Amino acid sequence: MTGGNRRNFLRGALAATLIAPGVTLNVFGANARPAGEPASTKVRWGLLVDVNKCSISCDACVRACNAENGLTGRSETDAQWIRKVTLNNSATEEIRSAPVMCQHCASPPCVDVCPTGASFKRADGIVLVDKHICIGCRYCMMACPFKARSFVHEDHDDQATHAPRGKGTVEGCTLCVTRVDAGQKPACVEACAKEGGALVFGDLNDPGSEISKALRQYPAAQLRADLGVDPGVFYAHLK
């Protein structure tokens, strides 16, 4: 598949999927943010999904996310921070698979509509929800074009200490912010490395990072790039 065809496949298939309901990895130890030091605009964390390596039958990223953040997945109403979608290209009859999560946009619509400021973006690009001031209005869920936010319907007494969850609030992928601040990679990325290695995580502002090098070398697409929200998650065909 040529570069142009790859780009068109990604844009067309991903856009059609989302508007419907519905890479050697190393520990970052040296990049841990010192305790007490605020996030900086010098860094913008991002994620690259290699759809060539993402197996339709694999859900390691989903399972890792659930385990890391205390998501049970036991009921239809439980929160879903990351989900696998199937991409169909009717022109070429290609079928691909890819994970979709919070896209950590540079201009996140969820932040714009939040009446309390509970939805916010850190200086390093990670989009989060402050559970202390979230009133569960769900405006952010309606504003998100990627269906990446979930409402907590049930009480939870088995929460992970680093990922508090509260009934009546909204939540979504945090890029495993506590792990990132500790110099590690998100749980989904580490789990994927043991399977197909389809996820690349790193600093989009660092031209020497693995993700930046891959984005320069291969054609990549953002979901709903036409909206101008500049997602921090990219999808590409890597060799």
Side-chain angles (χ1 to χ4, degrees):
M1 183 184 296
T2 66
N5 289 337
R6 289 173 180 168
R7 187 181 298 107
N8 291 335
F9 169 74
L10 288 167
R11 287 176 177 169
L14 289 169
T17 299
L18 287 172
I19 58 176
V23 171
T24 301
L25 306 175
N26 300 308
V27 175
F28 276 177
N31 294 329
R33 186 158 58 86
E37 181 179 305
S40 170
T41 55
K42 293 180 180 179
V43 173
R44 186 189 178 191
W45 296 115
L47 192 66
L48 175 62
V49 181
D50 180 355
V51 297
N52 272 341
K53 294 182 179 179
C54 188
S55 170
I56 293 178
S57 61
C58 179
D59 66 348
C61 58
V62 177
R63 288 184 283 107
C65 177
N66 290 346
E68 176 71 19
N69 297 294
L71 309 179
T72 65
R74 290 192 294 265
S75 70
E76 293 183 359
T77 58
D78 197 18
Q80 188 178 46
W81 291 16
I82 182 173
R83 66 190 189 276
K84 289 290 295 294
V85 300
T86 300
L87 314 174
N88 295 288
N89 187 336
S90 57
T92 62
E93 298 185 351
E94 286 182 274
I95 298 178
R96 303 287 187 183
S97 179
V100 176
M101 67 293 286
C102 174
Q103 300 293 291
H104 298 280
C105 306
S107 301
C110 58
V111 173
D112 291 340
V113 302
C114 181
T116 67
S119 286
F120 67 99
K121 185 187 72 169
R122 295 203 327 178
D124 58 7
I126 298 179
V127 178
L128 301 169
V129 178
D130 185 339
K131 293 303 189 78
H132 294 289
I133 56 177
C134 176
I135 59 175
C137 67
R138 293 179 256 193
Y139 286 174
C140 62
M141 292 178 64
M142 292 183 282
C144 177
F146 311 110
K147 305 181 187 299
R149 288 278 175 92
S150 296
F151 185 76
V152 183
H153 291 271
E154 293 92 8
D155 288 315
H156 294 277
D157 56 8
D158 56 349
Q159 305 176 52
T161 56
H162 59 274
R165 308 181 65 207
K167 182 179 180 180
T169 62
V170 175
E171 59 188 25
C173 163
T174 66
L175 271 184
C176 288
V177 63
T178 55
R179 293 172 61 93
V180 172
D181 285 347
Q184 299 175 318
K185 295 189 178 183
C188 61
V189 178
E190 288 196 353
C192 183
K194 300 175 183 177
E195 300 296 332
L199 299 179
V200 181
F201 176 76
D203 181 5
L204 295 170
N205 288 346
D206 177 6
S209 68
E210 182 180 6
I211 188 170
S212 293
K213 290 178 180 178
L215 287 173
R216 287 197 302 270
Q217 186 174 2
Y218 300 101
Q222 296 166 303
L223 303 183
R224 293 307 309 270
D226 58 304
L227 297 178
V229 296
D230 190 12
V233 181
F234 297 79
Y235 295 79
H237 289 268
L238 306 185
K239 294 182 179 179

